[in-house]
């Protein structure tokens, strides 16, 4: 199988399993037009996040890394009535694109975009008593994935779900001596997830339109 086949299979899955969605297509177009990198989750992955929120019955969702708000909109669609998504974005320009996309998707009331480095906002959220969050999606700078997982643990409760994107990185995570900060941060997240007694954890490798990567999935133990 080649990367091309992965693309084709993702397109087939979108065709068979996902409805045409002008709002989400427009979100991707607006993000690209604004010059944001095309590193959004894929449509099947976005729907996976929505379904996770539904399965968990989530009312409070925390996203670390908003980018143009594509995954934010999927998450907002998965929360219970009265629920909220708090999403953290370091780049003001990205946050502006996300704000417009979230508005167009009719989700503004459900989404709180906090513009600052997440490692500043996360302790503030803890101090505000903003949690506990039922679902946390970590998808920001990979160098800090371990630090974000640490804060996710502070902001969740037993039964909460924590998902971290991009934990395989085309297999680069095998390199224990890597000088790449993204690889090191990703390995830190995996090693924390595997060693912290508060979590039940697994990871799934994925292929698709974004190549070979994967999700870390954790549940906070009761
Ligand atoms: C990158 C970041 C992501 O969140 C992703 O899903 C894919 C790639 C990146 O920084 O290259
Ligand atoms: Mg990602």
């Amino acid at each position: 199988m080649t990367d091309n086949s992965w693309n084709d299979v993702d397109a087939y899955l979108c065709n068979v399993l996902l409805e045409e969605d002008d709002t989400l297509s427009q979100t991707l177009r607006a993000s690209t037009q604004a010059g944001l990198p095309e590193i959004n989750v894929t449509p099947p992955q976005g729907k996976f996040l929505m379904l996770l929120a539904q399965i968990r019955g989530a009312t409070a969702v925390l996203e670390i890394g908003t980018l143009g708000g594509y995954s934010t909109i999927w998450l907002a669609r998965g929360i219970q009535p009265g629920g909220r998504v708090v999403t953290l974005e370091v780049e003001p320009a990205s946050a502006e694109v996300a704000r417009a996309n979230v508005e167009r998707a009719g989700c503004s009331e459900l989404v709180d975009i906090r513009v600052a480095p997440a490692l500043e906002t996360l302790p503030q959220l803890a101090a505000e008593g903003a949690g506990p969050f039922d679902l946390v999606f970590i998808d920001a700078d990979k160098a800090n994935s371990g630090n974000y997982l640490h804060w996710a643990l502070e902001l969740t409760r037993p039964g909460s779900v924590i998902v971290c994107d991009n934990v395989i990185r085309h297999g680069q995570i095998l390199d224990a001596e890597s000088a790449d900060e993204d690889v090191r941060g990703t390995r830190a997240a995996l090693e924390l997830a595997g060693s912290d007694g508060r979590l039940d954890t697994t990871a799934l490798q994925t292929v698709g339109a974004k190549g070979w990567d994967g999700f870390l999935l954790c549940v906070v133990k009761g």
Side-chain angles (χ1 to χ4, degrees), residues 31 34-37 39-41 61-72 85-102 111-122 124-125 137-142 144 148:
S31 299
L36 301 189
I39 55 173
N40 310 280
V41 297
V61 172
L62 173 64
E63 179 180 56
I64 305 173
T66 314
L67 196 62
Y70 181 76
S71 49
T72 316
V85 180
V86 177
T87 183
L88 315 187
E89 176 53 47
V90 65
E91 287 293 338
S94 301
E96 275 315 303
V97 175
R99 196 162 282 125
N101 283 331
V102 164
V111 175
D112 178 5
I113 305 174
R114 303 275 189 111
V115 187
L119 288 176
E120 289 175 14
T121 310
L122 289 162
Q124 282 168 12
L125 290 171
F137 180 49
I138 300 170
D139 190 19
D141 55 312
K142 311 311 169 193
N144 278 311
Y148 298 146

Side-chain angles (χ1 to χ4, degrees), residues 3 6 166-174 183 205-214:
D3 281 18
W6 300 343
N166 310 117
V167 298
I168 305 300
R169 312 196 63 78
H170 302 87
Q172 289 176 66
I173 53 144
L174 283 181
V183 172
Q205 299 189 67
T206 57
V207 294
K210 288 175 71 180
W212 178 26
D213 217 323

Side-chain angles (χ1 to χ4, degrees), residues 14 31 33 37 39 50 91 98 115 125 136 153 160 194 200 213:
C14 287
S31 299
Q33 275 167 16
I39 55 173
M50 182 190 83
E91 287 293 338
V115 187
L125 290 171
V136 180
L153 270 160
S160 295
D200 277 325
D213 217 323

Side-chain angles (χ1 to χ4, degrees), residues 11-187:
Y12 169 74
L13 293 177
C14 287
N15 206 17
V16 173
L17 302 178
L18 276 68
E19 289 169 13
E20 283 283 321
D21 193 313
D22 288 345
T23 300
L24 286 169
S25 303
Q26 178 67 21
T27 292
L28 293 178
R29 271 198 304 277
S31 299
T32 301
Q33 275 167 16
L36 301 189
E38 292 179 347
I39 55 173
N40 310 280
V41 297
T42 63
Q45 290 174 348
K47 191 161 184 189
F48 178 75
L49 294 173
M50 182 190 83
L51 293 175
L52 275 181
Q54 286 181 1
I55 290 164
R56 182 63 197 92
T59 54
V61 172
L62 173 64
E63 179 180 56
I64 305 173
T66 314
L67 196 62
Y70 181 76
S71 49
T72 316
I73 293 167
W74 278 111
L75 288 165
R77 290 180 176 183
I79 58 178
Q80 297 297 301
R84 203 165 63 117
V85 180
V86 177
T87 183
L88 315 187
E89 176 53 47
V90 65
E91 287 293 338
S94 301
E96 275 315 303
V97 175
R99 196 162 282 125
N101 283 331
V102 164
E103 171 91 41
R104 195 185 308 102
C107 299
S108 299
E109 302 289 303
L110 311 179
V111 175
D112 178 5
I113 305 174
R114 303 275 189 111
V115 187
L119 288 176
E120 289 175 14
T121 310
L122 289 162
Q124 282 168 12
L125 290 171
E128 286 170 19
F133 293 94
D134 306 304
L135 172 63
V136 180
F137 180 49
I138 300 170
D139 190 19
D141 55 312
K142 311 311 169 193
N144 278 311
S145 286
N147 296 326
Y148 298 146
L149 179 57
H150 163 82
W151 278 105
L153 270 160
E154 299 297 312
L155 290 161
T156 47
R157 60 180 161 189
S160 295
V161 175
I162 304 170
V163 179
C164 183
D165 195 20
N166 310 117
V167 298
I168 305 300
R169 312 196 63 78
H170 302 87
Q172 289 176 66
I173 53 144
L174 283 181
D175 183 3
E177 308 304 323
S178 177
D180 182 329
E181 288 198 348
D182 295 345
V183 172
R184 298 175 76 86
T186 301
R187 286 176 59 95

